[in-house]
Amino acid sequence: MFRDYLARRVLMMVPTLLGLSLLIFLLSRVMPGDPILLALGPEARPEQVEQLRREMGLDRPLHVQYLRYLQGVLRGDFGRSLRTHRPVAQDLRDFLPATVELTSVAMLFAILIGVPLGVTAAVRRDGMVDHLSRWVALSGVAMPQFWLAILLQLVFGYYLRQLPLIGRGSIVPARITGLYLVDSLVTGDLAAFWNSLRHLVLPAFTLSLATAAQIMRMTRAGMVGQMRRDYVLAARSYGLPYNLVVYRYMLKNAITSTLTIIGLTYGFLLGNCFVVETVFAWPGIAAYGAHAVIYKDFNAVVAVTLVVGVAYAIVNLAIDVLYGFLDPRVRYAPE
Amino acid sequence: MNSLNAESWRRAWYRFRRNRLSVFGLGLVLLVLLAAIFAPYLAPYPEDAGSVVKFAQAHRPPCGRFWFGTDEVGRDILSRVIFGSRISLALGVLVLTIAAGVGVPLGLIAGYWGGTAGAVIMRVTDTFLAIPPLVLALAVSAVLPPSFVTTMVAIAFAWWPWYARLVHGEVLSVREEQYVQAAETVGASRWRVAFVEIMPNCLAPVIVKLTLDMGFVILMGAVLSFLGLGVQPPKPAWGTMIAEGRVYLPANWWGVTLPGLAIFVTVMGFNLLGDGLRDVLDVEVERWN
């Protein structure tokens, strides 16, 4: 049963991703201003332009171009970057781990901040934590992340001189996964681990705040909804410790709405990555993508957009699977 | 009918007013709105909104003469922040007009017509929603030269599907209502049923979403102009001002902090107002039914 559910969810991803690839492809072909001219410069002779156009297949009909491009993407070929002059796929391989590390740690921060605060706010309604969390939630969503990033740099990096301002750190562990935290732990390189962690704190915290705010709101709402249920009353009248009832029984039932919001806000987290990585000079694909957009480096823009779309889809798939795992009603529901 | 409407408006206002946060939000929004309308009269140095050079007074920290300090060419930052509110509000209004103008009819058609057309519309909508809006807006910005219009087009391009989906869901929930069936029975055309009977009954959530989205669109516009893809200097867009001020950190803290505060306050205002409207309208919707 669970396998059917899983298979159905994976299959549902295919048309969406195909549609996405078509959308991005079309977007890249309506660009005013010729990408060939842009690549060759204004000095290029007409026959040179014509030759490169044929080489890149831009003289073919649009649907043929799309199919060839799709074939390339499936082989992992995204073309060359006009800015770094390397295959885009190679750039992605180099920059992707930094982004995976940053977004994962940011999401972890968001959950670690959002869930306990949301639970406490619900349990002690109208208490101090509840009021505080309401303001944190409001500011977390309304604050421009690039502004927060700069302010944090200013305070922790400059005034207090406690944390590094930019980058991933100079002590690089031996590359296994490309995730510095994981690699340094696996190789037992504690200096690299500590250094990477210190570099991660500010960007990850900046990135996590908006998501933490949403998670807090949803957790609070979910917990408040559980408060007056009969099973809570029953558990308490058996004399079970309150914390056990809250964290073991109520949170388990409330967490599904938290999961939903994690999936939804993951997209915004990925989007915000583009600003946070830029401000902190974090060498990930989002900063790479932001540069590509500024330099009109088309192959790179298309590739980064696709990678982000796929990552978004995969995370939401994972959330749905988890959802089905936690709540059997979801698994058996007909589509 | 009219007296009943006036009465329900009064009740709605009463309920809205009881939540102090909503009133605070409304106040912030009015503040920004007034700043935008009366910018030439409120700004101490209106000419500083453009490209003026007064090197003699560059890099001044906040003081009695320049409340928000001055920037690298001696322009008064407060004046620029006040004029910047015009750019932000205009962007929000234009983007949401386009987004709702495209999304609402598509959602109506998809929900009420159904069939192949509806299925196609919703598939396209899902495709657009498969990518985070900021990323899609960035991709569009890459296609066009940096400007206010580019930012507007890019954000609207990423934003309309949310309205299509919202309205689609609303239509599905009211499609079987008696007043819709009544209109169909007396032979009203599909267009009339969709736009005259159904649409007004889907508008409450759209209005709430529009209010909340004003803040988020302004935020996204600031991001694009911060990255150098939107409004170009010397125009005083808040995001652009922060990008310019960032060069002179850490010495000139005011160049970044104060324009950012303007964004923060504006977005916060629209969020609080939207939350308040949601509380009020949700109840109203039930009562009207």
Side-chain angles (χ1 to χ4, degrees), chain B residues 38-55:
Chain B
F38 298 108
Y41 308 103
L42 288 174
Y45 308 91
E47 72 277 9
D48 286 5
S51 96
V52 192
V53 174
K54 305 171 182 168
F55 281 123

Side-chain angles (χ1 to χ4, degrees), chain B residues 154-205:
Chain B
I155 302 179
F157 191 77
W159 222 277
W160 68 266
W162 300 93
Y163 286 89
R165 190 161 78 169
L166 175 71
V167 172
H168 178 250
E170 287 295 312
V171 173
L172 291 187
S173 71
V174 301
R175 197 168 59 176
E176 306 300 331
E177 295 276 337
Q178 274 186 348
Y179 65 87
V180 176
Q181 289 176 353
E184 283 166 348
T185 316
V186 298
S189 74
R190 283 206 293 196
W191 292 94
R192 194 189 152 80
V193 175
F195 284 88
V196 180
E197 305 293 339
I198 295 181
M199 192 168 81
N201 290 288
C202 301
L203 282 186

Side-chain angles (χ1 to χ4, degrees), chain B:
Chain B
M1 201 61 194
N2 260 338
S3 64
L4 193 113
N5 267 343
E7 177 59 26
S8 56
W9 274 108
R10 232 193 356 257
R11 280 188 197 169
W13 170 239
Y14 172 74
R15 259 206 311 280
F16 181 84
R17 218 178 36 188
R18 277 202 319 190
N19 188 341
R20 273 180 302 168
L21 276 181
S22 312
V23 178
F24 180 57
L26 180 66
L28 291 181
V29 168
L30 285 179
L31 187 78
V32 178
L33 204 63
L34 289 177
I37 294 171
F38 298 108
Y41 308 103
L42 288 174
Y45 308 91
E47 72 277 9
D48 286 5
S51 96
V52 192
V53 174
K54 305 171 182 168
F55 281 123
Q57 55 189 48
H59 299 304
R60 293 273 177 85
C63 57
R65 239 178 98 203
F66 307 106
W67 290 5
F68 280 19
T70 64
D71 66 5
E72 68 279 8
V73 292
R75 292 175 299 197
D76 175 41
I77 291 179
L78 176 63
S79 301
R80 291 177 65 73
V81 166
I82 290 177
F83 272 92
S85 64
R86 290 185 160 188
I87 297 176
S88 286
L89 290 182
L91 181 75
V93 169
L94 289 170
V95 164
L96 292 176
T97 309
I98 301 173
V102 173
V104 170
L106 283 179
L108 265 177
I109 291 171
Y112 185 57
W113 268 235
T116 320
V120 169
I121 291 175
M122 290 324 288
R123 277 265 47 117
V124 173
T125 307
D126 284 347
T127 303
F128 274 77
L129 292 173
I131 186 141
L134 179 59
V135 182
L136 192 53
L138 279 170
V140 177
S141 304
V143 178
L144 301 166
S147 72
F148 177 80
V149 177
T150 295
T151 306
M152 185 185 82
V153 171
I155 302 179
F157 191 77
W159 222 277
W160 68 266
W162 300 93
Y163 286 89
R165 190 161 78 169
L166 175 71
V167 172
H168 178 250
E170 287 295 312
V171 173
L172 291 187
S173 71
V174 301
R175 197 168 59 176
E176 306 300 331
E177 295 276 337
Q178 274 186 348
Y179 65 87
V180 176
Q181 289 176 353
E184 283 166 348
T185 316
V186 298
S189 74
R190 283 206 293 196
W191 292 94
R192 194 189 152 80
V193 175
F195 284 88
V196 180
E197 305 293 339
I198 295 181
M199 192 168 81
N201 290 288
C202 301
L203 282 186
V206 172
I207 290 168
V208 173
K209 186 161 174 54
L210 282 172
T211 315
L212 288 168
D213 280 355
M214 264 305 274
F216 295 124
V217 168
I218 289 172
L219 206 54
M220 194 175 282
V223 167
L224 291 181
S225 55
F226 174 73
L227 290 175
L229 300 164
V231 180
Q232 295 295 300
K235 291 214 182 91
W238 293 336
T240 318
M241 291 173 68
I242 294 176
E244 288 177 319
R246 193 179 161 216
V247 180
Y248 302 97
L249 286 177
N252 300 2
W253 56 268
W254 55 91
V256 165
T257 318
L258 300 173
L261 209 57
I263 305 177
F264 184 36
V265 164
T266 309
V267 179
M268 173 89 96
F270 279 107
N271 282 355
L272 288 174
L273 180 62
D275 283 345
L277 281 182
R278 176 166 53 199
D279 292 346
V280 171
L281 283 178
D282 266 350
V283 185
E284 283 298 295
V285 171
E286 282 173 27
R287 198 166 283 177
W288 281 337
N289 284 344

